[in-house]
Amino acid sequence: MTESFHRSGEYENPYEGQQQAPVNPEWPPPPAYAPAHAPHPKKRGRGPLALLAAVAIVAAAIGGGTAYGIQELTGNDTVTSSSTSTNVVPSSQKGTVSGVAKAVSPSIVEISADSNAGSSTGSGVIITGDGEIITNNHVISGASQIKVTTNDGKSYSAKVVGTDSKKDLALIKLENAAGLKAATLGDSAGVQVGDEVVAIGSPEGLSGTVTSGIISALDRDVTVSTDESQEQQQGQQGGEWPFEFGGREFNGDTGSNTTTYKALQTDASLNPGNSGGALIDMNGNIIGINSAMYSAAGASSSAAAGSVGLGFSIPINTVKADLAKLRAGSTD
């Protein structure tokens, strides 16, 4: 409409000075011409509006945390991975430790590895519904038999698929497993100092243990042993994993064969047996694989044993970049 009213309420006629019939100011003037074809509102509304509605539905489904459902539709050997933060935790429990624990615990397992030198206990993260599990190389290195216990108490035998001692990573596969809940691998590039995190693992064989804290630092150069005999020895002593940081050795001698990687540092309580478990953001995405922690277990007083807030985790982007190599059967 082209007519308007002044603020005083006086009617302004845009056709003033033209030859036309008198117009009642209470009604708009008739159009100067009649359109050749009347528009069809219903037809016009179904095009872009329908498309936008469809896009909105798809976006809502992805943003609503249906990554696991998508995995089930595309095959249970598909790794659920996200370049952004996916809401794995239900919206009603978002940002809570209990919500993260409830959503992610079914994807965390306890690993028992037996070798000629003894046995060790660690943790792992299920990444496919048919039983692929990421853990630390030092948890399973040299093992002649691997037993995995899931969150619901079921036990499976497992075989090593591939290892990468330089990154302290290993991929194992459960035998005769199906329908497991795979974790969602997040994006460690977006992690910031001060972010709240949750750790889940099996310290000292206490499966499904949940602790929480923050990211204390980024890009820490952590040095660990790649010597298989050293790994077996440490496993026999109870799982304390030696590592070096800033020129100092922790939890024992790292030996002569070592490797260094960039790690996330956290003050979430980690103890022997947490190795290979998950470091998780508050949306339920895995952002790291816990790998090294300072433990005073060798101290004279048993009361001194345990976490002192110095834990290190392999960034999940490092894991994702290494996954194809591990699946191909690497034995580095």
Side-chain angles (χ1 to χ4, degrees), residues 96-164:
T96 66
V97 174
S98 60
V100 172
K102 184 176 181 180
V104 184
S105 288
S107 302
I108 312 302
V109 301
E110 178 182 318
I111 299 174
S112 298
D114 296 327
S115 69
N116 293 332
S119 62
S120 62
T121 300
S123 306
V125 179
I126 300 172
I127 62 171
T128 64
D130 60 351
E132 282 189 343
I133 293 172
I134 284 288
T135 186
N136 289 142
N137 179 61
H138 75 258
V139 171
I140 53 84
S141 182
S144 56
Q145 183 178 355
I146 301 173
K147 178 183 176 183
V148 173
T149 305
T150 55
N151 180 257
D152 59 4
K154 294 181 180 179
S155 295
Y156 298 86
S157 294
K159 299 292 184 182
V160 177
V161 177
T163 60
D164 187 346

Side-chain angles (χ1 to χ4, degrees), residues 29-270:
Y33 63 91
H37 300 284
H40 299 281
K42 290 185 179 180
K43 215 167 190 180
R44 291 176 59 190
R46 288 178 182 174
L49 288 180
L51 177 60
L52 289 174
V55 171
I57 291 171
V58 173
I62 294 175
T66 58
Y68 180 62
I70 293 172
Q71 173 188 325
E72 290 300 301
L73 290 173
T74 57
N76 63 0
D77 61 344
T78 302
V79 177
T80 304
S81 179
S82 174
S83 59
T84 57
S85 185
T86 301
N87 292 325
V88 179
V89 181
S91 57
S92 61
Q93 296 179 304
K94 184 178 178 181
T96 66
V97 174
S98 60
V100 172
K102 184 176 181 180
V104 184
S105 288
S107 302
I108 312 302
V109 301
E110 178 182 318
I111 299 174
S112 298
D114 296 327
S115 69
N116 293 332
S119 62
S120 62
T121 300
S123 306
V125 179
I126 300 172
I127 62 171
T128 64
D130 60 351
E132 282 189 343
I133 293 172
I134 284 288
T135 186
N136 289 142
N137 179 61
H138 75 258
V139 171
I140 53 84
S141 182
S144 56
Q145 183 178 355
I146 301 173
K147 178 183 176 183
V148 173
T149 305
T150 55
N151 180 257
D152 59 4
K154 294 181 180 179
S155 295
Y156 298 86
S157 294
K159 299 292 184 182
V160 177
V161 177
T163 60
D164 187 346
S165 61
K166 293 181 180 179
K167 295 179 182 176
D168 195 18
L169 291 172
L171 179 69
I172 64 175
K173 178 71 180 296
L174 303 186
E175 297 180 346
N176 303 316
L180 302 178
K181 183 176 181 180
T184 299
L185 308 185
D187 181 13
S188 52
V191 174
Q192 299 183 34
V193 173
D195 284 352
E196 293 181 273
V197 290
V198 173
I200 305 179
S202 300
E204 306 292 357
L206 301 174
S207 61
T209 295
V210 177
T211 58
S212 64
I214 63 168
I215 294 293
S216 304
L218 305 174
D219 298 325
R220 291 298 201 197
D221 288 321
V222 174
T223 300
V224 298
S225 174
T226 58
D227 189 341
E228 183 175 301
S229 61
Q230 184 78 8
E231 290 160 1
Q232 292 175 345
Q233 180 183 9
Q234 290 302 319
Q236 190 175 24
Q237 292 176 353
E240 300 90 349
W241 179 235
F243 70 97
E244 179 183 332
F245 173 71
R248 297 177 58 196
E249 291 186 337
F250 301 90
N251 303 349
D253 182 7
T254 56
S256 58
N257 298 319
T258 61
T259 185
T260 301
Y261 57 82
K262 298 287 186 181
L264 303 173
Q265 182 180 330
T266 180
D267 70 348
S269 180
L270 303 178

